[in-house]
Amino acid sequence: MDEAKILRKEFALRELVERLPVVEDIDHWRRLTPGAPITEHPWKTLGDTASGSPPEAARELGAQLRHEGYFQTEPIVPEALLHQMKACIESVRAAGFPPMFALVYDVFYQALAYARPVLEAMLGADFQLVPNFWVYYVETKDDGKGFEPHRDAEYPDTIGADGMPTVLTVWVALTDATPLNSCIYVVPIHRDPQYPEAISKLRTGGSRIALEDIRALPTQAGTVSCWNQYIYHWGSRSSQRAPTPRISYALYCQRGDRAAVDDVQLDPRGRIEFGTRVALICRSLYRYSHLSLQETEDAAPLLAFMARHGVSRPVRPGQAPSS
């Protein structure tokens, strides 16, 4: 499948629908990347893995999150897991699927366990995963790029009375992200005059931002970056001079003691069945395509596939979940 038709603009729907029988064949994915497990309990073997971040470090990161809208950990995901995730993504791409389908493998969920202590510090011990997934593969060429300048802004009013977010974007770097291969750029929230408006008016742009307030975030592989729903950010243009592609993946997490912001949540210590995984991958592909903004009969087989695996169609940005 042509990845250029997946990133927000178009969606190679017909080709995906034709390959749905392959998508839900677990043996296909096991043959594709031998040695990469797919089980129902990806976290079970890890126990209570800790990132090693001391409480005082979590307090510092929390203060930065409140003041600037984002933070980054030290590299905390082990090199062995990074290598396996990259191998899974390369196998999936070589087989002609969008990189998103690498999320069928356990290792992507296991890597999140290393961020668990810091996520618990920010969101509470009962935080939940909101599986609005995306896998990024920015190639080393002059027209490669990440997402355009935007605010995630899927859900309104996710800043608590204490100034801390109740929903976080969690972005895991599998390779170094640099200005040459499309690192993330942000506008810290205290330098963004339109930020207060964005909390309630989700699609607020960034037309009044001063260029000198933009901050580049070069990131080492294994680092976990987190930001709130309303910070203005983007992935820069890549370059043919970049030594490696920029590979990463992201999802949302939310406080467990607040009403669910989306129809679908995952317990970060529970089961994630294979059928659920493939349906959630399809849900995210659908969500971030133009198809989610219009009704089309062509999408019916994909929506039926998701429903058969117990996954609802995604709500539109700013629309309340149905339950």
Side-chain angles (χ1 to χ4, degrees), residues 55-73:
E56 52 271 24
R59 283 193 290 271
E60 292 175 5
L61 295 177
Q64 181 185 352
L65 178 61
R66 185 183 289 108
H67 181 59
E68 297 189 322
Y70 79 97
F71 70 84
Q72 296 181 288
T73 69

Side-chain angles (χ1 to χ4, degrees), residues 81-82 85-86 89 108 172-176 221-223 247-249:
L81 268 66
L82 297 175
M85 286 188 283
K86 288 185 289 185
I89 289 172
F108 291 87
V172 184
L174 307 189
T175 60
D176 291 347
T223 298
I247 308 174
S248 58
Y249 72 108

Side-chain angles (χ1 to χ4, degrees), residues 4 31-32 38 111 115 121-122 135 162 169 192 202 204 271:
R31 289 192 299 269
L32 191 64
I38 304 173
M122 305 302 160
V135 173
D162 60 354
T169 298
D192 179 357
L202 297 181
T204 301
R271 298 169 60 194

Side-chain angles (χ1 to χ4, degrees), residues 5-295:
K5 294 182 179 179
I6 298 298
L7 286 176
R8 285 194 182 223
K9 306 305 181 187
E10 299 180 37
F11 187 44
L13 175 65
R14 181 172 298 176
E15 189 173 349
L16 177 58
V17 168
E18 291 173 352
R19 301 182 76 176
L20 286 177
V22 176
V23 165
E24 62 180 340
D25 178 5
I26 192 171
D27 290 330
H28 165 79
W29 300 107
R30 286 172 169 161
R31 289 192 299 269
L32 191 64
T33 313
I38 304 173
T39 69
E40 292 189 358
H41 294 277
W43 289 298
K44 189 172 183 180
T45 58
L46 293 181
D48 293 322
T49 299
S51 69
S53 297
E56 52 271 24
R59 283 193 290 271
E60 292 175 5
L61 295 177
Q64 181 185 352
L65 178 61
R66 185 183 289 108
H67 181 59
E68 297 189 322
Y70 79 97
F71 70 84
Q72 296 181 288
T73 69
E74 297 295 320
I76 57 177
V77 180
E79 179 62 34
L81 268 66
L82 297 175
H83 179 78
Q84 188 174 40
M85 286 188 283
K86 288 185 289 185
C88 291
I89 289 172
E90 294 291 3
S91 295
V92 168
R93 293 182 74 244
F97 287 91
M100 283 277 286
F101 281 99
L103 295 176
V104 299
Y105 298 106
D106 285 3
V107 63
F108 291 87
Y109 306 90
Q110 291 172 342
L112 293 172
Y114 291 86
R116 184 183 295 160
V118 72
L119 292 175
E120 288 181 345
M122 305 302 160
L123 298 172
D126 57 351
F127 77 91
Q128 299 288 297
L129 306 184
V130 183
N132 289 348
F133 296 127
W134 201 262
V135 173
Y136 305 84
Y137 193 105
V138 180
E139 296 187 66
T140 55
K141 54 186 183 180
D142 289 343
D143 59 352
K145 67 181 183 67
F147 275 1
E148 68 277 4
H150 68 287
R151 305 177 195 273
D152 289 336
E154 300 277 359
Y155 318 108
D157 302 319
T158 63
I159 303 296
D162 60 354
M164 289 293 282
T166 58
V167 176
L168 279 178
T169 298
V170 180
W171 190 87
V172 184
L174 307 189
T175 60
D176 291 347
T178 71
L180 277 182
N181 74 352
S182 180
C183 70
I184 299 296
Y185 285 74
V186 304
V187 180
I189 61 176
H190 68 293
R191 303 303 307 169
D192 179 357
Q194 293 166 276
Y195 173 79
E197 179 184 358
I199 295 175
S200 57
K201 298 180 181 178
L202 297 181
R203 293 308 175 191
T204 301
S207 59
R208 303 205 307 270
I209 290 169
L211 293 179
E212 61 268 28
D213 289 330
I214 296 170
R215 183 174 297 169
L217 302 183
T219 304
Q220 289 182 264
T223 298
V224 176
S225 303
C226 298
W227 51 82
N228 73 25
Q229 279 277 293
Y230 314 112
I231 189 172
Y232 201 62
H233 65 286
W234 59 93
S236 62
R237 184 77 65 179
S238 186
S239 167
Q240 61 181 340
R241 295 190 293 111
T244 61
R246 190 261 274 173
I247 308 174
S248 58
Y249 72 108
L251 73 160
Y252 298 151
C253 292
Q254 80 152 92
R255 290 191 64 91
D257 59 358
R258 301 297 179 93
V261 296
D262 205 293
D263 283 339
V264 180
Q265 287 190 329
L266 296 174
D267 183 343
R269 293 175 178 80
R271 298 169 60 194
I272 310 178
E273 297 177 349
F274 170 74
T276 301
R277 296 184 203 186
V278 294
L280 288 173
I281 291 165
C282 291
R283 185 180 194 260
S284 289
L285 287 170
Y286 178 86
R287 183 186 192 97
Y288 294 113
S289 74
H290 285 318
L291 289 179
S292 66
L293 303 177
Q294 60 188 0
E295 297 297 329

